[in-house]
Short mmCIF file of all heavy atoms in Angstrom, two decimals:
data_model
loop_
_atom_site.label_atom_id
_atom_site.label_comp_id
_atom_site.label_asym_id
_atom_site.label_seq_id
_atom_site.Cartn_x
_atom_site.Cartn_y
_atom_site.Cartn_z
N MET A 1 -1.68 -6.44 33.41
CA MET A 1 -2.15 -6.40 32.04
C MET A 1 -1.44 -7.53 31.25
O MET A 1 -1.96 -8.16 30.34
CB MET A 1 -1.91 -5.02 31.49
CG MET A 1 -2.80 -4.50 30.44
SD MET A 1 -4.49 -4.65 30.64
CE MET A 1 -5.12 -4.29 29.09
N ALA A 2 -0.21 -7.75 31.67
CA ALA A 2 0.61 -8.80 30.84
C ALA A 2 0.13 -10.26 31.22
O ALA A 2 0.54 -11.10 30.54
CB ALA A 2 2.08 -8.58 31.19
N ASP A 3 -0.57 -10.39 32.24
CA ASP A 3 -0.97 -11.69 32.70
C ASP A 3 -2.40 -12.07 32.19
O ASP A 3 -3.00 -12.98 32.78
CB ASP A 3 -1.01 -11.78 34.23
CG ASP A 3 0.42 -11.68 34.80
OD1 ASP A 3 1.30 -12.03 34.04
OD2 ASP A 3 0.53 -11.24 35.94
N ILE A 4 -2.79 -11.57 31.11
CA ILE A 4 -4.13 -11.86 30.55
C ILE A 4 -3.98 -13.30 30.01
O ILE A 4 -3.13 -13.52 29.18
CB ILE A 4 -4.56 -10.92 29.41
CG1 ILE A 4 -4.75 -9.54 30.01
CG2 ILE A 4 -5.76 -11.42 28.77
CD1 ILE A 4 -4.98 -8.47 28.93
N PRO A 5 -4.79 -14.21 30.46
CA PRO A 5 -4.62 -15.58 29.95
C PRO A 5 -4.93 -15.79 28.51
O PRO A 5 -5.69 -15.09 27.87
CB PRO A 5 -5.77 -16.40 30.76
CG PRO A 5 -6.33 -15.42 31.77
CD PRO A 5 -5.88 -14.06 31.37
N ALA A 6 -4.20 -16.80 27.90
CA ALA A 6 -4.34 -16.96 26.47
C ALA A 6 -5.71 -17.31 26.06
O ALA A 6 -6.15 -16.90 25.05
CB ALA A 6 -3.39 -18.10 26.05
N TRP A 7 -6.39 -18.15 26.92
CA TRP A 7 -7.79 -18.47 26.50
C TRP A 7 -8.81 -17.27 26.52
O TRP A 7 -9.63 -17.19 25.69
CB TRP A 7 -8.38 -19.53 27.51
CG TRP A 7 -8.51 -19.02 28.85
CD1 TRP A 7 -7.61 -19.08 29.99
CD2 TRP A 7 -9.70 -18.28 29.47
NE1 TRP A 7 -8.14 -18.55 31.09
CE2 TRP A 7 -9.46 -18.02 30.80
CE3 TRP A 7 -10.92 -17.93 28.94
CZ2 TRP A 7 -10.31 -17.37 31.65
CZ3 TRP A 7 -11.81 -17.22 29.67
CH2 TRP A 7 -11.57 -16.93 31.04
N TRP A 8 -8.34 -16.33 27.27
CA TRP A 8 -9.31 -15.09 27.30
C TRP A 8 -8.97 -14.24 26.00
O TRP A 8 -9.90 -13.77 25.41
CB TRP A 8 -8.95 -14.14 28.58
CG TRP A 8 -9.79 -12.97 28.59
CD1 TRP A 8 -9.24 -11.71 28.28
CD2 TRP A 8 -11.14 -12.75 28.85
NE1 TRP A 8 -10.25 -10.77 28.32
CE2 TRP A 8 -11.42 -11.37 28.72
CE3 TRP A 8 -12.16 -13.66 29.16
CZ2 TRP A 8 -12.77 -10.88 28.88
CZ3 TRP A 8 -13.48 -13.14 29.36
CH2 TRP A 8 -13.67 -11.80 29.20
N ARG A 9 -7.70 -14.12 25.66
CA ARG A 9 -7.41 -13.38 24.47
C ARG A 9 -7.94 -14.08 23.21
O ARG A 9 -8.47 -13.50 22.34
CB ARG A 9 -5.85 -13.27 24.28
CG ARG A 9 -5.31 -12.14 25.18
CD ARG A 9 -3.80 -12.05 25.01
NE ARG A 9 -3.17 -12.92 26.05
CZ ARG A 9 -2.08 -13.61 25.78
NH1 ARG A 9 -1.48 -13.52 24.61
NH2 ARG A 9 -1.58 -14.38 26.70
N GLY A 10 -7.97 -15.47 23.23
CA GLY A 10 -8.58 -16.21 22.12
C GLY A 10 -10.03 -15.97 22.02
O GLY A 10 -10.65 -15.77 20.95
N LEU A 11 -10.72 -15.92 23.19
CA LEU A 11 -12.13 -15.69 23.23
C LEU A 11 -12.47 -14.30 22.73
O LEU A 11 -13.37 -14.10 21.92
CB LEU A 11 -12.68 -15.85 24.73
CG LEU A 11 -14.13 -15.63 24.88
CD1 LEU A 11 -14.92 -16.60 24.15
CD2 LEU A 11 -14.51 -15.63 26.43
N VAL A 12 -11.70 -13.24 23.20
CA VAL A 12 -11.92 -11.89 22.69
C VAL A 12 -11.78 -11.83 21.19
O VAL A 12 -12.56 -11.24 20.45
CB VAL A 12 -10.96 -10.93 23.41
CG1 VAL A 12 -11.09 -9.54 22.80
CG2 VAL A 12 -11.38 -10.79 24.87
N ARG A 13 -10.73 -12.47 20.69
CA ARG A 13 -10.51 -12.48 19.18
C ARG A 13 -11.62 -13.13 18.50
O ARG A 13 -12.05 -12.65 17.44
CB ARG A 13 -9.21 -13.34 19.05
CG ARG A 13 -8.29 -12.77 17.96
CD ARG A 13 -7.05 -13.61 17.78
NE ARG A 13 -6.28 -13.65 19.04
CZ ARG A 13 -5.48 -14.59 19.33
NH1 ARG A 13 -5.38 -15.74 18.68
NH2 ARG A 13 -4.83 -14.51 20.46
N ARG A 14 -12.13 -14.24 18.97
CA ARG A 14 -13.28 -14.90 18.32
C ARG A 14 -14.46 -13.97 18.34
O ARG A 14 -15.25 -13.92 17.32
CB ARG A 14 -13.58 -16.26 18.99
CG ARG A 14 -12.77 -17.38 18.33
CD ARG A 14 -13.18 -18.69 18.75
NE ARG A 14 -11.94 -19.29 19.17
CZ ARG A 14 -11.57 -19.82 20.32
NH1 ARG A 14 -12.32 -19.79 21.36
NH2 ARG A 14 -10.41 -20.36 20.50
N ILE A 15 -14.76 -13.32 19.46
CA ILE A 15 -15.85 -12.45 19.52
C ILE A 15 -15.71 -11.30 18.55
O ILE A 15 -16.72 -10.89 17.85
CB ILE A 15 -16.13 -11.96 20.95
CG1 ILE A 15 -16.53 -13.07 21.93
CG2 ILE A 15 -17.18 -10.81 21.05
CD1 ILE A 15 -16.59 -12.82 23.34
N ARG A 16 -14.54 -10.79 18.50
CA ARG A 16 -14.32 -9.65 17.46
C ARG A 16 -14.57 -10.17 16.04
O ARG A 16 -15.17 -9.48 15.28
CB ARG A 16 -12.87 -9.21 17.52
CG ARG A 16 -12.61 -8.13 18.48
CD ARG A 16 -11.21 -7.47 18.23
NE ARG A 16 -10.80 -6.80 19.35
CZ ARG A 16 -9.59 -6.92 19.85
NH1 ARG A 16 -8.75 -7.75 19.24
NH2 ARG A 16 -9.27 -6.37 20.97
N GLY A 17 -14.08 -11.34 15.74
CA GLY A 17 -14.32 -11.91 14.42
C GLY A 17 -15.79 -12.02 14.09
O GLY A 17 -16.32 -11.67 13.13
N TRP A 18 -16.57 -12.58 15.15
CA TRP A 18 -17.96 -12.84 14.98
C TRP A 18 -18.68 -11.53 14.86
O TRP A 18 -19.51 -11.34 14.04
CB TRP A 18 -18.42 -13.62 16.24
CG TRP A 18 -19.92 -13.54 16.33
CD1 TRP A 18 -20.80 -14.37 15.73
CD2 TRP A 18 -20.72 -12.63 17.06
NE1 TRP A 18 -22.06 -14.09 16.05
CE2 TRP A 18 -22.08 -13.02 16.88
CE3 TRP A 18 -20.43 -11.56 17.97
CZ2 TRP A 18 -23.10 -12.26 17.45
CZ3 TRP A 18 -21.49 -10.86 18.55
CH2 TRP A 18 -22.83 -11.21 18.28
N TRP A 19 -18.21 -10.54 15.56
CA TRP A 19 -18.83 -9.21 15.54
C TRP A 19 -18.65 -8.58 14.14
O TRP A 19 -19.58 -7.93 13.55
CB TRP A 19 -18.23 -8.26 16.62
CG TRP A 19 -18.81 -6.93 16.67
CD1 TRP A 19 -18.23 -5.83 16.39
CD2 TRP A 19 -20.18 -6.58 17.09
NE1 TRP A 19 -19.08 -4.68 16.56
CE2 TRP A 19 -20.25 -5.14 16.96
CE3 TRP A 19 -21.25 -7.33 17.56
CZ2 TRP A 19 -21.37 -4.53 17.33
CZ3 TRP A 19 -22.41 -6.62 17.81
CH2 TRP A 19 -22.48 -5.21 17.74
N THR A 20 -17.48 -8.70 13.62
CA THR A 20 -17.24 -8.13 12.24
C THR A 20 -18.12 -8.83 11.29
O THR A 20 -18.66 -8.14 10.43
CB THR A 20 -15.69 -8.35 11.90
OG1 THR A 20 -14.91 -7.69 12.92
CG2 THR A 20 -15.41 -7.76 10.54
N VAL A 21 -18.19 -10.13 11.28
CA VAL A 21 -18.96 -10.78 10.29
C VAL A 21 -20.44 -10.41 10.46
O VAL A 21 -21.22 -10.30 9.48
CB VAL A 21 -18.83 -12.40 10.38
CG1 VAL A 21 -19.84 -13.12 9.60
CG2 VAL A 21 -17.42 -12.72 10.03
N THR A 22 -20.90 -10.31 11.67
CA THR A 22 -22.34 -9.96 11.97
C THR A 22 -22.69 -8.55 11.45
O THR A 22 -23.69 -8.27 10.87
CB THR A 22 -22.60 -9.96 13.45
OG1 THR A 22 -22.30 -11.28 13.92
CG2 THR A 22 -23.99 -9.64 13.72
N ARG A 23 -21.73 -7.61 11.61
CA ARG A 23 -21.89 -6.22 11.24
C ARG A 23 -21.76 -6.09 9.72
O ARG A 23 -22.34 -5.17 9.21
CB ARG A 23 -20.95 -5.25 11.95
CG ARG A 23 -21.23 -5.04 13.38
CD ARG A 23 -20.20 -4.22 14.00
NE ARG A 23 -20.01 -2.92 13.33
CZ ARG A 23 -18.94 -2.26 13.35
NH1 ARG A 23 -17.84 -2.64 14.08
NH2 ARG A 23 -18.81 -1.11 12.79
N ALA A 24 -21.00 -6.91 9.06
CA ALA A 24 -20.82 -6.68 7.65
C ALA A 24 -20.96 -8.04 6.95
O ALA A 24 -20.01 -8.55 6.48
CB ALA A 24 -19.46 -6.12 7.38
N PRO A 25 -22.10 -8.63 7.03
CA PRO A 25 -22.41 -9.97 6.34
C PRO A 25 -21.97 -9.89 4.86
O PRO A 25 -22.21 -8.93 4.13
CB PRO A 25 -23.89 -10.20 6.51
CG PRO A 25 -24.50 -8.88 6.83
CD PRO A 25 -23.41 -8.01 7.46
N GLY A 26 -21.36 -10.99 4.45
CA GLY A 26 -20.93 -11.07 3.09
C GLY A 26 -19.49 -10.60 2.86
O GLY A 26 -18.88 -10.85 1.81
N ARG A 27 -18.98 -9.93 3.80
CA ARG A 27 -17.59 -9.32 3.71
C ARG A 27 -16.67 -10.44 4.31
O ARG A 27 -17.08 -11.16 5.20
CB ARG A 27 -17.41 -8.06 4.49
CG ARG A 27 -17.99 -6.91 3.60
CD ARG A 27 -17.66 -5.62 4.28
NE ARG A 27 -16.25 -5.43 4.45
CZ ARG A 27 -15.72 -4.49 5.22
NH1 ARG A 27 -16.47 -3.64 5.81
NH2 ARG A 27 -14.33 -4.37 5.20
N PHE A 28 -15.44 -10.44 3.91
CA PHE A 28 -14.50 -11.27 4.42
C PHE A 28 -13.71 -10.59 5.54
O PHE A 28 -13.41 -9.40 5.42
CB PHE A 28 -13.55 -11.82 3.31
CG PHE A 28 -14.31 -12.66 2.25
CD1 PHE A 28 -14.42 -12.10 1.00
CD2 PHE A 28 -14.84 -13.87 2.59
CE1 PHE A 28 -15.14 -12.83 0.05
CE2 PHE A 28 -15.54 -14.54 1.59
CZ PHE A 28 -15.63 -14.05 0.34
N LEU A 29 -13.20 -11.37 6.52
CA LEU A 29 -12.45 -10.77 7.61
C LEU A 29 -11.20 -10.19 7.10
O LEU A 29 -10.76 -9.12 7.61
CB LEU A 29 -12.10 -11.92 8.64
CG LEU A 29 -13.25 -12.47 9.49
CD1 LEU A 29 -12.71 -13.55 10.39
CD2 LEU A 29 -13.84 -11.38 10.40
N CYS A 30 -10.59 -10.76 6.12
CA CYS A 30 -9.31 -10.29 5.60
C CYS A 30 -9.34 -8.81 5.16
O CYS A 30 -8.43 -8.11 5.25
CB CYS A 30 -8.78 -11.12 4.54
SG CYS A 30 -8.69 -12.89 4.93
N ASP A 31 -10.55 -8.41 4.70
CA ASP A 31 -10.67 -7.02 4.18
C ASP A 31 -10.40 -5.99 5.26
O ASP A 31 -10.09 -4.82 4.98
CB ASP A 31 -12.14 -6.82 3.63
CG ASP A 31 -12.42 -7.68 2.47
OD1 ASP A 31 -11.39 -8.13 1.80
OD2 ASP A 31 -13.55 -7.90 2.09
N SER A 32 -10.61 -6.36 6.53
CA SER A 32 -10.38 -5.39 7.62
C SER A 32 -9.33 -5.83 8.61
O SER A 32 -9.17 -5.37 9.68
CB SER A 32 -11.70 -5.11 8.32
OG SER A 32 -12.22 -6.33 8.93
N CYS A 33 -8.51 -6.84 8.16
CA CYS A 33 -7.50 -7.36 9.05
C CYS A 33 -6.14 -6.68 8.86
O CYS A 33 -5.70 -6.41 7.71
CB CYS A 33 -7.38 -8.90 8.73
SG CYS A 33 -6.13 -9.69 9.80
N ARG A 34 -5.49 -6.43 9.94
CA ARG A 34 -4.21 -5.67 9.85
C ARG A 34 -3.08 -6.65 9.20
O ARG A 34 -2.05 -6.06 8.91
CB ARG A 34 -3.84 -5.26 11.26
CG ARG A 34 -3.30 -6.24 12.20
CD ARG A 34 -2.74 -5.63 13.46
NE ARG A 34 -3.67 -4.86 14.19
CZ ARG A 34 -3.53 -4.43 15.36
NH1 ARG A 34 -2.38 -4.68 16.01
NH2 ARG A 34 -4.38 -3.75 15.97
N PHE A 35 -3.33 -7.90 9.13
CA PHE A 35 -2.30 -8.82 8.50
C PHE A 35 -2.53 -8.99 7.00
O PHE A 35 -1.85 -9.78 6.41
CB PHE A 35 -2.31 -10.12 9.23
CG PHE A 35 -1.99 -10.10 10.68
CD1 PHE A 35 -2.82 -10.58 11.64
CD2 PHE A 35 -0.84 -9.33 11.06
CE1 PHE A 35 -2.56 -10.46 12.99
CE2 PHE A 35 -0.58 -9.24 12.47
CZ PHE A 35 -1.44 -9.80 13.41
N ASP A 36 -3.46 -8.29 6.43
CA ASP A 36 -3.79 -8.56 5.00
C ASP A 36 -2.93 -7.68 4.10
O ASP A 36 -3.35 -6.72 3.46
CB ASP A 36 -5.25 -8.19 4.75
CG ASP A 36 -5.71 -8.62 3.34
OD1 ASP A 36 -5.03 -9.60 2.83
OD2 ASP A 36 -6.58 -7.94 2.79
N TYR A 37 -1.65 -7.87 4.15
CA TYR A 37 -0.66 -7.26 3.24
C TYR A 37 0.58 -8.15 3.11
O TYR A 37 0.91 -8.89 4.03
CB TYR A 37 -0.26 -5.88 3.83
CG TYR A 37 0.67 -5.96 5.01
CD1 TYR A 37 2.00 -6.06 4.89
CD2 TYR A 37 0.04 -6.07 6.26
CE1 TYR A 37 2.84 -6.09 6.07
CE2 TYR A 37 0.81 -6.18 7.38
CZ TYR A 37 2.19 -6.23 7.24
OH TYR A 37 3.04 -6.34 8.43
N GLY A 38 1.11 -8.01 1.90
CA GLY A 38 2.32 -8.83 1.49
C GLY A 38 2.36 -10.16 2.11
O GLY A 38 1.46 -11.00 1.93
N ASP A 39 3.41 -10.61 2.76
CA ASP A 39 3.56 -11.93 3.38
C ASP A 39 3.18 -11.91 4.81
O ASP A 39 3.56 -12.89 5.54
CB ASP A 39 5.06 -12.36 3.18
CG ASP A 39 5.41 -12.63 1.71
OD1 ASP A 39 4.43 -12.85 0.96
OD2 ASP A 39 6.55 -12.56 1.39
N ALA A 40 2.50 -10.89 5.31
CA ALA A 40 2.22 -10.88 6.72
C ALA A 40 1.36 -12.03 7.14
O ALA A 40 1.38 -12.44 8.30
CB ALA A 40 1.47 -9.60 7.10
N CYS A 41 0.54 -12.57 6.31
CA CYS A 41 -0.36 -13.69 6.57
C CYS A 41 -0.18 -14.79 5.51
O CYS A 41 -0.34 -14.45 4.29
CB CYS A 41 -1.79 -13.24 6.65
SG CYS A 41 -2.90 -14.57 6.78
N ARG A 42 0.06 -16.00 5.88
CA ARG A 42 0.19 -17.05 4.98
C ARG A 42 -0.97 -18.17 5.19
O ARG A 42 -0.80 -19.31 4.73
CB ARG A 42 1.59 -17.74 5.12
CG ARG A 42 2.65 -16.80 4.70
CD ARG A 42 3.98 -17.51 4.85
NE ARG A 42 5.08 -16.69 4.50
CZ ARG A 42 5.58 -16.57 3.23
NH1 ARG A 42 5.04 -17.32 2.32
NH2 ARG A 42 6.55 -15.81 2.95
N ARG A 43 -1.93 -17.73 5.87
CA ARG A 43 -3.02 -18.74 6.11
C ARG A 43 -3.70 -19.02 4.80
O ARG A 43 -3.91 -18.14 3.96
CB ARG A 43 -4.00 -18.20 7.15
CG ARG A 43 -3.47 -18.04 8.49
CD ARG A 43 -4.54 -17.48 9.47
NE ARG A 43 -5.49 -18.49 9.72
CZ ARG A 43 -5.61 -19.11 10.82
NH1 ARG A 43 -4.69 -19.04 11.78
NH2 ARG A 43 -6.57 -19.99 11.02
N PRO A 44 -4.09 -20.32 4.58
CA PRO A 44 -4.71 -20.70 3.36
C PRO A 44 -6.09 -20.06 3.16
O PRO A 44 -6.45 -19.89 1.94
CB PRO A 44 -4.82 -22.26 3.49
CG PRO A 44 -4.73 -22.52 4.94
CD PRO A 44 -3.94 -21.41 5.48
N GLU A 45 -6.73 -19.64 4.14
CA GLU A 45 -8.06 -19.07 3.88
C GLU A 45 -8.01 -17.55 3.47
O GLU A 45 -8.95 -17.09 3.09
CB GLU A 45 -8.90 -19.16 5.24
CG GLU A 45 -8.31 -18.57 6.44
CD GLU A 45 -7.59 -19.71 7.23
OE1 GLU A 45 -6.62 -20.38 6.70
OE2 GLU A 45 -7.91 -19.95 8.44
N ARG A 46 -6.85 -17.05 3.54
CA ARG A 46 -6.70 -15.67 3.00
C ARG A 46 -6.88 -15.63 1.48
O ARG A 46 -6.25 -16.52 0.89
CB ARG A 46 -5.36 -15.07 3.38
CG ARG A 46 -5.10 -13.64 2.96
CD ARG A 46 -3.79 -13.19 3.31
NE ARG A 46 -3.48 -11.87 2.81
CZ ARG A 46 -2.26 -11.41 2.52
NH1 ARG A 46 -1.21 -12.21 2.81
NH2 ARG A 46 -2.09 -10.25 2.04
N PRO A 47 -7.58 -14.76 0.88
CA PRO A 47 -8.03 -13.53 1.37
C PRO A 47 -9.60 -13.65 1.69
O PRO A 47 -10.24 -12.60 1.85
CB PRO A 47 -7.88 -12.59 0.23
CG PRO A 47 -8.09 -13.32 -0.97
CD PRO A 47 -7.50 -14.72 -0.60
N ASN A 48 -10.10 -14.85 1.75
CA ASN A 48 -11.54 -15.01 1.87
C ASN A 48 -11.98 -15.62 3.24
O ASN A 48 -12.97 -16.39 3.30
CB ASN A 48 -12.17 -15.83 0.70
CG ASN A 48 -11.85 -15.26 -0.60
OD1 ASN A 48 -11.79 -14.04 -0.70
ND2 ASN A 48 -11.60 -15.99 -1.56
N ALA A 49 -11.26 -15.30 4.26
CA ALA A 49 -11.58 -15.89 5.60
C ALA A 49 -12.84 -15.35 6.13
O ALA A 49 -13.13 -14.10 6.14
CB ALA A 49 -10.39 -15.59 6.61
N THR A 50 -13.72 -16.29 6.65
CA THR A 50 -14.90 -15.82 7.38
C THR A 50 -14.75 -16.08 8.83
O THR A 50 -15.51 -15.60 9.62
CB THR A 50 -16.14 -16.48 6.77
OG1 THR A 50 -15.97 -17.86 6.76
CG2 THR A 50 -16.46 -15.93 5.37
N ARG A 51 -13.80 -17.05 9.17
CA ARG A 51 -13.47 -17.28 10.52
C ARG A 51 -11.91 -17.44 10.63
O ARG A 51 -11.33 -17.97 9.76
CB ARG A 51 -14.07 -18.63 11.00
CG ARG A 51 -15.63 -18.59 10.95
CD ARG A 51 -16.09 -19.88 11.48
NE ARG A 51 -15.72 -20.06 12.94
CZ ARG A 51 -16.19 -20.98 13.73
NH1 ARG A 51 -17.05 -21.86 13.24
NH2 ARG A 51 -15.91 -21.05 14.97
N CYS A 52 -11.32 -16.71 11.54
CA CYS A 52 -9.89 -16.78 11.66
C CYS A 52 -9.42 -16.44 13.08
O CYS A 52 -9.83 -15.38 13.61
CB CYS A 52 -9.31 -15.83 10.71
SG CYS A 52 -7.58 -15.76 10.70
N ASP A 53 -8.71 -17.28 13.72
CA ASP A 53 -8.14 -17.08 15.08
C ASP A 53 -7.15 -16.04 15.14
O ASP A 53 -6.85 -15.46 16.15
CB ASP A 53 -7.61 -18.46 15.67
CG ASP A 53 -8.73 -19.41 16.00
OD1 ASP A 53 -9.93 -19.02 16.07
OD2 ASP A 53 -8.48 -20.59 16.14
N ASP A 54 -6.54 -15.72 14.00
CA ASP A 54 -5.50 -14.65 13.98
C ASP A 54 -5.99 -13.31 13.57
O ASP A 54 -5.18 -12.38 13.49
CB ASP A 54 -4.35 -15.09 12.96
CG ASP A 54 -3.57 -16.22 13.51
OD1 ASP A 54 -3.55 -16.51 14.73
OD2 ASP A 54 -2.99 -17.03 12.67
N TYR A 55 -7.30 -13.25 13.35
CA TYR A 55 -7.83 -11.88 12.90
C TYR A 55 -7.52 -10.81 13.99
O TYR A 55 -7.70 -10.97 15.08
CB TYR A 55 -9.29 -12.05 12.74
CG TYR A 55 -9.98 -10.70 12.44
CD1 TYR A 55 -9.90 -10.16 11.12
CD2 TYR A 55 -10.70 -10.05 13.38
CE1 TYR A 55 -10.42 -8.95 10.91
CE2 TYR A 55 -11.29 -8.82 13.11
CZ TYR A 55 -11.16 -8.23 11.87
OH TYR A 55 -11.78 -7.06 11.59
N ARG A 56 -7.04 -9.71 13.42
CA ARG A 56 -6.92 -8.46 14.12
C ARG A 56 -7.44 -7.27 13.38
O ARG A 56 -6.98 -7.08 12.27
CB ARG A 56 -5.40 -8.20 14.47
CG ARG A 56 -4.69 -9.21 15.27
CD ARG A 56 -5.03 -9.05 16.72
NE ARG A 56 -4.14 -9.83 17.53
CZ ARG A 56 -4.10 -11.13 17.60
NH1 ARG A 56 -4.93 -11.87 16.83
NH2 ARG A 56 -3.26 -11.79 18.42
N PRO A 57 -8.36 -6.51 13.91
CA PRO A 57 -8.94 -5.46 13.20
C PRO A 57 -7.83 -4.33 12.99
O PRO A 57 -6.96 -4.22 13.83
CB PRO A 57 -10.07 -4.88 14.03
CG PRO A 57 -9.74 -5.48 15.37
CD PRO A 57 -9.02 -6.70 15.25
N ARG A 58 -7.89 -3.62 11.91
CA ARG A 58 -6.93 -2.61 11.58
C ARG A 58 -7.18 -1.38 12.44
O ARG A 58 -8.28 -1.13 12.94
CB ARG A 58 -7.06 -2.08 10.14
CG ARG A 58 -6.39 -2.99 9.21
CD ARG A 58 -6.42 -2.41 7.81
NE ARG A 58 -6.05 -3.44 6.87
CZ ARG A 58 -6.68 -3.60 5.64
NH1 ARG A 58 -7.69 -2.78 5.33
NH2 ARG A 58 -6.34 -4.49 4.92
S1 SF4 B 101 -4.97 -13.42 9.74
FE1 SF4 B 101 -6.86 -14.37 9.07
S2 SF4 B 101 -8.24 -12.56 8.73
FE2 SF4 B 101 -6.17 -11.77 8.77
S3 SF4 B 101 -5.52 -11.74 6.63
FE3 SF4 B 101 -4.86 -13.71 7.48
S4 SF4 B 101 -6.45 -15.13 7.08
FE4 SF4 B 101 -7.31 -13.09 6.77
#
């Protein structure tokens, strides 16, 4: 389990982000991201990200 390649994890993350946007069009990824609090995320696209490689669902 610890040997999951980085490219695979990135792909899964992108598919998750795509899936979230598809299921809730018009919503921003940050609304359901576990990093959307305090200083947990400093990405410039926050809080209106529609694509984000760091997205993690809550
Ligand atoms: S990691 Fe991405 S989706 Fe999550 S809060 Fe930051 S900008 Fe938004």
Side-chain angles (χ1 to χ4, degrees):
M1 214 43 196
D3 292 336
I4 297 172
W7 66 266
W8 177 257
R9 278 180 274 144
L11 179 64
V12 169
R13 219 177 299 151
R14 269 186 228 121
I15 290 172
R16 267 199 206 129
W18 168 81
W19 181 249
T20 300
V21 169
T22 301
R23 285 176 56 202
R27 283 187 59 193
F28 298 112
L29 287 176
C30 303
D31 294 340
S32 61
C33 178
R34 74 170 63 166
F35 300 125
D36 188 32
Y37 69 91
D39 291 337
C41 171
R42 293 181 180 272
R43 292 181 71 101
E45 53 268 57
R46 183 182 172 205
N48 299 327
T50 53
R51 298 183 64 169
C52 179
D53 289 342
D54 290 336
Y55 173 76
R56 296 281 193 294
R58 281 188 194 135

